[in-house]
Amino acid sequence: MCQTQLISRDIIRLSTRSYRQRLEAVSSNRYETVRLARLNHDLEEFYELLYDQWNTVTESDYQILAPQFRIMLKTLKELCHTCKQMPESQGLNKQIERLEKNYAGIYELNSDIVNFRMKANQDAEMKSLLGRASDVMKTLSV
């Protein structure tokens, strides 16, 4: 079982920050690079936590996390889009690239959970293939 409460709390916290920062950027047409850098740092830490935990996510865990992931990913995507609309003179390009990479990484990890944890548990052939692949990897590492 994964650390559902911790992951859920982080998703909510990061989604809320992303949404607030997007509103700020839209309303003032000004966005501080340092705020985006801090958000990126926290997203990278969240990615590490999720990466460490993704293999232990159960179906019941994911039923809790899935709606939160959808909102978070949508919010991050919208923040990326908003930041791209900002004038280049604000110097956000490097942080926007970082934000896009963070979005892509979290999106991909969420897809992996769905495809290789949730669907694989329901698909006997996939479960068998993943089991054999795991056995092969164990023999290669010895």
Side-chain angles (χ1 to χ4, degrees):
M1 186 161 173
C2 77
Q3 296 181 14
T4 309
Q5 276 189 307
L6 179 62
I7 293 170
S8 177
R9 185 201 68 203
D10 282 354
I11 290 172
I12 292 167
R13 183 178 54 83
L14 290 166
S15 296
T16 303
R17 278 179 58 199
S18 300
Y19 183 76
R20 285 183 182 153
Q21 289 185 20
R22 181 170 179 249
L23 281 176
E24 178 186 311
V26 168
S27 65
S28 66
N29 204 25
R30 182 95 181 111
Y31 191 43
E32 296 176 25
T33 306
V34 71
R35 291 188 61 166
L36 187 55
R38 273 190 240 132
L39 177 63
N40 276 322
H41 177 267
D42 290 347
L43 288 168
E44 289 158 0
E45 285 184 348
F46 172 74
Y47 176 87
E48 290 298 321
L49 169 68
L50 191 58
Y51 185 82
D52 290 342
Q53 295 291 314
W54 87 273
N55 212 19
T56 62
V57 175
T58 64
E59 285 189 51
S60 61
D61 293 333
Y62 196 71
Q63 286 178 355
I64 295 167
L65 299 174
Q68 296 171 355
F69 265 120
R70 280 192 294 275
I71 292 169
M72 178 189 199
L73 290 168
K74 183 178 183 217
T75 304
L76 288 173
K77 186 175 183 177
E78 290 170 349
L79 179 60
C80 287
H81 178 73
T82 300
C83 287
K84 284 182 173 182
Q85 305 301 317
M86 303 296 285
E88 284 189 36
S89 61
Q90 291 189 27
L92 292 172
N93 291 344
K94 188 175 181 180
Q95 291 304 321
I96 293 170
E97 274 183 40
R98 215 171 134 197
L99 181 62
E100 288 174 324
K101 287 178 185 177
N102 285 326
Y103 167 78
I106 294 169
Y107 181 90
E108 195 64 37
L109 217 45
N110 181 54
S111 290
D112 288 351
I113 292 170
V114 170
N115 293 316
F116 297 110
R117 293 290 302 156
M118 301 306 111
K119 289 181 182 176
N121 285 338
Q122 298 168 357
D123 184 348
E125 183 180 358
M126 177 68 97
K127 200 173 192 176
S128 172
L129 288 171
L130 289 173
R132 282 194 271 155
S134 177
D135 292 341
V136 169
M137 293 302 289
K138 287 177 186 172
T139 60
L140 290 175
S141 64
V142 172

